Amino acid sequence: MKTFKIFILTILCAGFGLPAIAQQHKLTMNINYAVNTPTGSFKPDIVNKTSFRGWNANLLYGVTDQLSLGLEAGFNDYYQKYPRQVYNTKGGAVSAVLSNSIQTVPVMFKGRFNLAPSAMVQPYVGAGVGGNFVSYNQYLGEFASSKSGVYFAASPEAGIAIPFRKHGASAFTLGGRYNIMPFSYGDNKNLNNWGLYAGIKFALK
């Protein structure tokens, strides 16, 4: 935990200290804290609580001042415990506490389009497509079941970037996205969720 805090402080200092530079032909990194809420069959069947244990980060190259392309990875941890009740299983009825624990790690190709690269507040839209590493564990009392694998993932987004300096590549970012994550387990058909994120973007070179 101490090492992680030092890492974040170093990033913040680097972001605020960078000189004003254009985004074209620049490599930038964007690191965000993320909050995600289940939707669709994910919400009623597995977890209906918002997860505050998430992050995402991307590495983008500025093809132009408006268009950036690269890679993005993220992580989100969902957990929910249901009160003791009677569940029907293949072996008969079981009275137990039910717990669901799910971790998702999407890794995607990413594109982002800056709608106003010279403005003080820069709105942008973007999208990612790739794979989602899923680890699902369910505990029904002393009985456990699990499923893991790699599945499809896509994520449209919209947000704003507020540069620390005029025409600078480093900025504060704030946005929202919808994460499309197909996943079949029992009656559940997806792990779709919508989320909000906030963080910083800074130039690497």
Side-chain angles (χ1 to χ4, degrees):
M1 181 62 70
K2 183 177 180 180
T3 302
F4 178 75
K5 290 180 178 179
I6 294 174
F7 174 67
I8 293 298
L9 287 173
T10 302
I11 289 173
L12 288 169
C13 291
F16 281 103
L18 287 170
I21 52 177
Q23 297 181 49
Q24 185 175 3
H25 305 315
K26 297 296 177 181
L27 188 65
T28 61
M29 175 170 280
N30 190 183
I31 299 177
N32 302 293
Y33 169 69
V35 176
N36 295 79
T37 300
T39 63
S41 64
F42 185 14
K43 182 173 183 178
D45 296 336
I46 301 181
V47 174
N48 56 39
K49 292 182 178 179
T50 296
S51 171
F52 294 91
R53 299 176 298 275
W55 59 266
N56 62 70
N58 58 61
L59 192 64
L60 301 177
Y61 178 75
V63 180
T64 69
D65 274 350
Q66 289 186 287
L67 177 64
S68 297
L69 300 174
L71 295 172
E72 180 172 86
F75 172 80
N76 220 82
D77 181 26
Y78 300 92
Y79 177 80
Q80 185 155 344
K81 180 183 289 186
Y82 293 91
R84 179 179 295 273
Q85 63 183 50
V86 176
Y87 296 93
N88 293 318
T89 67
K90 293 180 180 180
V94 176
S95 176
V97 173
L98 176 67
S99 300
N100 292 319
S101 176
I102 302 142
Q103 292 77 43
T104 62
V105 183
V107 178
M108 298 181 286
F109 294 101
K110 177 84 173 184
R112 182 174 284 178
F113 190 80
N114 190 327
L115 300 173
S118 299
M120 292 185 63
V121 177
Q122 302 173 4
Y124 62 80
V125 293
V129 61
N132 183 30
F133 297 84
V134 177
S135 175
Y136 177 99
N137 293 279
Q138 185 177 77
Y139 304 92
L140 185 59
E142 61 182 11
F143 303 101
S145 61
S146 64
K147 184 175 182 180
S148 60
V150 182
Y151 303 86
F152 174 80
S155 180
E157 69 169 351
I160 58 171
I162 304 176
F164 300 136
R165 298 183 182 183
K166 188 175 181 180
H167 303 303
S170 57
F172 169 75
T173 54
L174 176 67
R177 61 176 56 187
Y178 187 73
N179 299 301
I180 302 168
M181 298 180 170
F183 177 78
S184 179
Y185 186 83
D187 295 331
N188 184 64
K189 301 301 179 185
N190 66 71
L191 298 176
N192 294 353
N193 61 88
W194 67 268
L196 299 174
Y197 63 84
I200 60 168
K201 179 182 73 169
F202 55 96
L204 295 180
K205 66 175 185 178

